[in-house]
Amino acid sequence: MGHLQGDNGWELPEQAWLTLGMAPCGSAAMMSASDLIQFARAHMKEGQTQQGKSWLTSTSVNAMQTPEVALPEMSQTIDANFGLGWGLKTYKEQGISTYSHNGATNGFYASLQVCPQQDTVFAILLNGIAPEGFTATQAAMQKALMGIEVKVAKLDKSISLSERHKAIAGHYESFDKRITVRLEDGKLKAHLVYKMDPLPPEDLLLYPITDQLYGSESLTGERRANLAFTEIDPASFKPAYCFDGSRLNPRQA
């Protein structure tokens, strides 16, 4: 079980987050970091365990690492797809490809990153809720172990908002997040409410990078994750979804 920030510091939650709806794909931390690395190594060796036994067929391993769904562009330097159970990324500047899987439960984060070109695997298990710290740790390990460094481009805040940009204003919601984008004082602002994660609501300023991709900052200037707005209606310019990097949030209004 993970820990949550309470009135008296870090505390165990009252119960583990074992939701039946997510049970088929896993909903709790069940492996140690060393177990996760052994699991990844078997995938790198076409399904062979350290003892040389066949755990998965090479056909299954290759199928899992084959792109099935192209994800909305969240970065101009990364191509991202979903395979079967793996997130697949190609870092265009370095020419390096990885496959990975991240997850979270009540008070716990986990990440498993695999880079066959560098013969490198690492796992992160974080006993607490700290999204920025988790992301920073993952990026630092990718740089040190895999030679991957994603440079965050400086946002151009001088761009005048077009009607296409303004049309992203609306309400987007999925089972775990609510995102409300509004035009206020000539700026695009997003209000994020986390429906499942024990995180406080957050207000962000959005700046266009492309017609679909927007960089975000907190109101005090800290950089946050990009947002992508997809399936844009050609007449109204209104997008059908807001993609936050992990889930499509359908437009509700």
Side-chain angles (χ1 to χ4, degrees), residues 216-232:
S216 72
E217 284 186 350
S218 69
L219 299 185
T220 53
E222 291 87 8
R223 188 67 185 271
R224 295 289 186 260
N226 294 343
L227 295 175
F229 295 84
T230 67
E231 297 192 22
I232 295 175

PDB file of all heavy atoms in Angstrom, residues 216-232:
ATOM      1  N   SER A 216       1.760  24.237 -21.256  1.00  0.00           N
ATOM      2  CA  SER A 216       1.049  24.762 -20.082  1.00  0.00           C
ATOM      3  C   SER A 216       2.027  25.169 -18.991  1.00  0.00           C
ATOM      4  O   SER A 216       3.122  24.614 -18.875  1.00  0.00           O
ATOM      5  CB  SER A 216       0.060  23.729 -19.539  1.00  0.00           C
ATOM      6  OG  SER A 216       0.725  22.657 -18.909  1.00  0.00           O
ATOM      7  N   GLU A 217       1.604  26.158 -18.234  1.00  0.00           N
ATOM      8  CA  GLU A 217       2.342  26.626 -17.068  1.00  0.00           C
ATOM      9  C   GLU A 217       1.364  26.865 -15.935  1.00  0.00           C
ATOM     10  O   GLU A 217       0.202  27.207 -16.156  1.00  0.00           O
ATOM     11  CB  GLU A 217       3.066  27.943 -17.361  1.00  0.00           C
ATOM     12  CG  GLU A 217       4.321  27.832 -18.183  1.00  0.00           C
ATOM     13  CD  GLU A 217       5.052  29.162 -18.297  1.00  0.00           C
ATOM     14  OE1 GLU A 217       4.462  30.192 -17.899  1.00  0.00           O
ATOM     15  OE2 GLU A 217       6.199  29.161 -18.770  1.00  0.00           O
ATOM     16  N   SER A 218       1.863  26.683 -14.714  1.00  0.00           N
ATOM     17  CA  SER A 218       1.056  27.076 -13.561  1.00  0.00           C
ATOM     18  C   SER A 218       0.967  28.595 -13.522  1.00  0.00           C
ATOM     19  O   SER A 218       1.695  29.294 -14.232  1.00  0.00           O
ATOM     20  CB  SER A 218       1.691  26.553 -12.270  1.00  0.00           C
ATOM     21  OG  SER A 218       2.909  27.253 -12.009  1.00  0.00           O
ATOM     22  N   LEU A 219       0.101  29.120 -12.687  1.00  0.00           N
ATOM     23  CA  LEU A 219      -0.066  30.574 -12.599  1.00  0.00           C
ATOM     24  C   LEU A 219       1.172  31.261 -12.032  1.00  0.00           C
ATOM     25  O   LEU A 219       1.326  32.479 -12.170  1.00  0.00           O
ATOM     26  CB  LEU A 219      -1.291  30.906 -11.747  1.00  0.00           C
ATOM     27  CG  LEU A 219      -2.644  30.374 -12.263  1.00  0.00           C
ATOM     28  CD1 LEU A 219      -3.780  30.871 -11.385  1.00  0.00           C
ATOM     29  CD2 LEU A 219      -2.867  30.760 -13.723  1.00  0.00           C
ATOM     30  N   THR A 220       2.051  30.456 -11.420  1.00  0.00           N
ATOM     31  CA  THR A 220       3.292  31.031 -10.890  1.00  0.00           C
ATOM     32  C   THR A 220       4.492  30.746 -11.799  1.00  0.00           C
ATOM     33  O   THR A 220       5.635  31.000 -11.416  1.00  0.00           O
ATOM     34  CB  THR A 220       3.571  30.483  -9.472  1.00  0.00           C
ATOM     35  OG1 THR A 220       3.532  29.043  -9.503  1.00  0.00           O
ATOM     36  CG2 THR A 220       2.532  30.987  -8.484  1.00  0.00           C
ATOM     37  N   GLY A 221       4.233  30.193 -12.992  1.00  0.00           N
ATOM     38  CA  GLY A 221       5.287  30.063 -13.986  1.00  0.00           C
ATOM     39  C   GLY A 221       5.988  28.733 -14.090  1.00  0.00           C
ATOM     40  O   GLY A 221       6.915  28.580 -14.897  1.00  0.00           O
ATOM     41  N   GLU A 222       5.577  27.717 -13.280  1.00  0.00           N
ATOM     42  CA  GLU A 222       6.209  26.400 -13.396  1.00  0.00           C
ATOM     43  C   GLU A 222       5.635  25.661 -14.604  1.00  0.00           C
ATOM     44  O   GLU A 222       4.427  25.635 -14.808  1.00  0.00           O
ATOM     45  CB  GLU A 222       5.984  25.553 -12.132  1.00  0.00           C
ATOM     46  CG  GLU A 222       6.715  26.042 -10.899  1.00  0.00           C
ATOM     47  CD  GLU A 222       5.924  27.086 -10.133  1.00  0.00           C
ATOM     48  OE1 GLU A 222       4.748  27.309 -10.495  1.00  0.00           O
ATOM     49  OE2 GLU A 222       6.483  27.679  -9.190  1.00  0.00           O
ATOM     50  N   ARG A 223       6.527  25.049 -15.384  1.00  0.00           N
ATOM     51  CA  ARG A 223       6.093  24.332 -16.578  1.00  0.00           C
ATOM     52  C   ARG A 223       5.345  23.058 -16.179  1.00  0.00           C
ATOM     53  O   ARG A 223       5.758  22.343 -15.268  1.00  0.00           O
ATOM     54  CB  ARG A 223       7.296  23.988 -17.447  1.00  0.00           C
ATOM     55  CG  ARG A 223       6.939  23.409 -18.822  1.00  0.00           C
ATOM     56  CD  ARG A 223       6.256  24.437 -19.705  1.00  0.00           C
ATOM     57  NE  ARG A 223       5.815  23.834 -20.953  1.00  0.00           N
ATOM     58  CZ  ARG A 223       6.540  23.740 -22.060  1.00  0.00           C
ATOM     59  NH1 ARG A 223       7.779  24.215 -22.059  1.00  0.00           N
ATOM     60  NH2 ARG A 223       6.049  23.195 -23.148  1.00  0.00           N
ATOM     61  N   ARG A 224       4.262  22.791 -16.877  1.00  0.00           N
ATOM     62  CA  ARG A 224       3.472  21.587 -16.663  1.00  0.00           C
ATOM     63  C   ARG A 224       3.390  20.809 -17.981  1.00  0.00           C
ATOM     64  O   ARG A 224       3.894  21.254 -19.012  1.00  0.00           O
ATOM     65  CB  ARG A 224       2.074  21.940 -16.151  1.00  0.00           C
ATOM     66  CG  ARG A 224       2.055  22.582 -14.780  1.00  0.00           C
ATOM     67  CD  ARG A 224       2.411  21.561 -13.704  1.00  0.00           C
ATOM     68  NE  ARG A 224       2.256  22.101 -12.362  1.00  0.00           N
ATOM     69  CZ  ARG A 224       3.231  22.561 -11.609  1.00  0.00           C
ATOM     70  NH1 ARG A 224       4.481  22.569 -12.102  1.00  0.00           N
ATOM     71  NH2 ARG A 224       3.012  23.012 -10.389  1.00  0.00           N
ATOM     72  N   ALA A 225       2.749  19.660 -17.940  1.00  0.00           N
ATOM     73  CA  ALA A 225       2.662  18.799 -19.119  1.00  0.00           C
ATOM     74  C   ALA A 225       1.850  19.462 -20.225  1.00  0.00           C
ATOM     75  O   ALA A 225       0.913  20.231 -19.963  1.00  0.00           O
ATOM     76  CB  ALA A 225       2.028  17.461 -18.741  1.00  0.00           C
ATOM     77  N   ASN A 226       2.217  19.152 -21.474  1.00  0.00           N
ATOM     78  CA  ASN A 226       1.458  19.660 -22.614  1.00  0.00           C
ATOM     79  C   ASN A 226       0.083  19.005 -22.675  1.00  0.00           C
ATOM     80  O   ASN A 226      -0.145  17.914 -22.135  1.00  0.00           O
ATOM     81  CB  ASN A 226       2.208  19.360 -23.922  1.00  0.00           C
ATOM     82  CG  ASN A 226       3.514  20.118 -24.034  1.00  0.00           C
ATOM     83  OD1 ASN A 226       3.746  21.090 -23.327  1.00  0.00           O
ATOM     84  ND2 ASN A 226       4.372  19.666 -24.927  1.00  0.00           N
ATOM     85  N   LEU A 227      -0.833  19.677 -23.358  1.00  0.00           N
ATOM     86  CA  LEU A 227      -2.160  19.136 -23.646  1.00  0.00           C
ATOM     87  C   LEU A 227      -2.371  19.155 -25.151  1.00  0.00           C
ATOM     88  O   LEU A 227      -1.972  20.100 -25.823  1.00  0.00           O
ATOM     89  CB  LEU A 227      -3.259  19.968 -22.961  1.00  0.00           C
ATOM     90  CG  LEU A 227      -3.281  19.977 -21.434  1.00  0.00           C
ATOM     91  CD1 LEU A 227      -4.356  20.955 -20.938  1.00  0.00           C
ATOM     92  CD2 LEU A 227      -3.526  18.594 -20.871  1.00  0.00           C
ATOM     93  N   ALA A 228      -3.005  18.103 -25.664  1.00  0.00           N
ATOM     94  CA  ALA A 228      -3.301  18.028 -27.094  1.00  0.00           C
ATOM     95  C   ALA A 228      -4.814  17.975 -27.292  1.00  0.00           C
ATOM     96  O   ALA A 228      -5.519  17.284 -26.549  1.00  0.00           O
ATOM     97  CB  ALA A 228      -2.654  16.802 -27.718  1.00  0.00           C
ATOM     98  N   PHE A 229      -5.302  18.700 -28.273  1.00  0.00           N
ATOM     99  CA  PHE A 229      -6.735  18.740 -28.579  1.00  0.00           C
ATOM    100  C   PHE A 229      -6.927  18.119 -29.955  1.00  0.00           C
ATOM    101  O   PHE A 229      -6.338  18.567 -30.945  1.00  0.00           O
ATOM    102  CB  PHE A 229      -7.247  20.176 -28.512  1.00  0.00           C
ATOM    103  CG  PHE A 229      -7.170  20.757 -27.118  1.00  0.00           C
ATOM    104  CD1 PHE A 229      -5.979  21.322 -26.655  1.00  0.00           C
ATOM    105  CD2 PHE A 229      -8.254  20.697 -26.267  1.00  0.00           C
ATOM    106  CE1 PHE A 229      -5.883  21.834 -25.367  1.00  0.00           C
ATOM    107  CE2 PHE A 229      -8.172  21.219 -24.974  1.00  0.00           C
ATOM    108  CZ  PHE A 229      -7.002  21.774 -24.527  1.00  0.00           C
ATOM    109  N   THR A 230      -7.733  17.056 -30.018  1.00  0.00           N
ATOM    110  CA  THR A 230      -7.777  16.217 -31.214  1.00  0.00           C
ATOM    111  C   THR A 230      -9.177  16.132 -31.817  1.00  0.00           C
ATOM    112  O   THR A 230     -10.162  16.516 -31.194  1.00  0.00           O
ATOM    113  CB  THR A 230      -7.292  14.795 -30.887  1.00  0.00           C
ATOM    114  OG1 THR A 230      -8.238  14.160 -30.009  1.00  0.00           O
ATOM    115  CG2 THR A 230      -5.930  14.833 -30.212  1.00  0.00           C
ATOM    116  N   GLU A 231      -9.206  15.568 -33.043  1.00  0.00           N
ATOM    117  CA  GLU A 231     -10.429  15.404 -33.829  1.00  0.00           C
ATOM    118  C   GLU A 231     -11.191  16.727 -33.918  1.00  0.00           C
ATOM    119  O   GLU A 231     -12.330  16.863 -33.478  1.00  0.00           O
ATOM    120  CB  GLU A 231     -11.302  14.284 -33.256  1.00  0.00           C
ATOM    121  CG  GLU A 231     -10.634  12.919 -33.316  1.00  0.00           C
ATOM    122  CD  GLU A 231     -11.577  11.762 -33.029  1.00  0.00           C
ATOM    123  OE1 GLU A 231     -12.805  11.934 -33.185  1.00  0.00           O
ATOM    124  OE2 GLU A 231     -11.073  10.686 -32.653  1.00  0.00           O
ATOM    125  N   ILE A 232     -10.514  17.709 -34.505  1.00  0.00           N
ATOM    126  CA  ILE A 232     -11.041  19.067 -34.598  1.00  0.00           C
ATOM    127  C   ILE A 232     -12.050  19.169 -35.738  1.00  0.00           C
ATOM    128  O   ILE A 232     -11.769  18.765 -36.867  1.00  0.00           O
ATOM    129  CB  ILE A 232      -9.883  20.064 -34.798  1.00  0.00           C
ATOM    130  CG1 ILE A 232      -8.989  20.054 -33.546  1.00  0.00           C
ATOM    131  CG2 ILE A 232     -10.407  21.473 -35.060  1.00  0.00           C
ATOM    132  CD1 ILE A 232      -7.748  20.913 -33.676  1.00  0.00           C
TER     133      ILE A 232
END
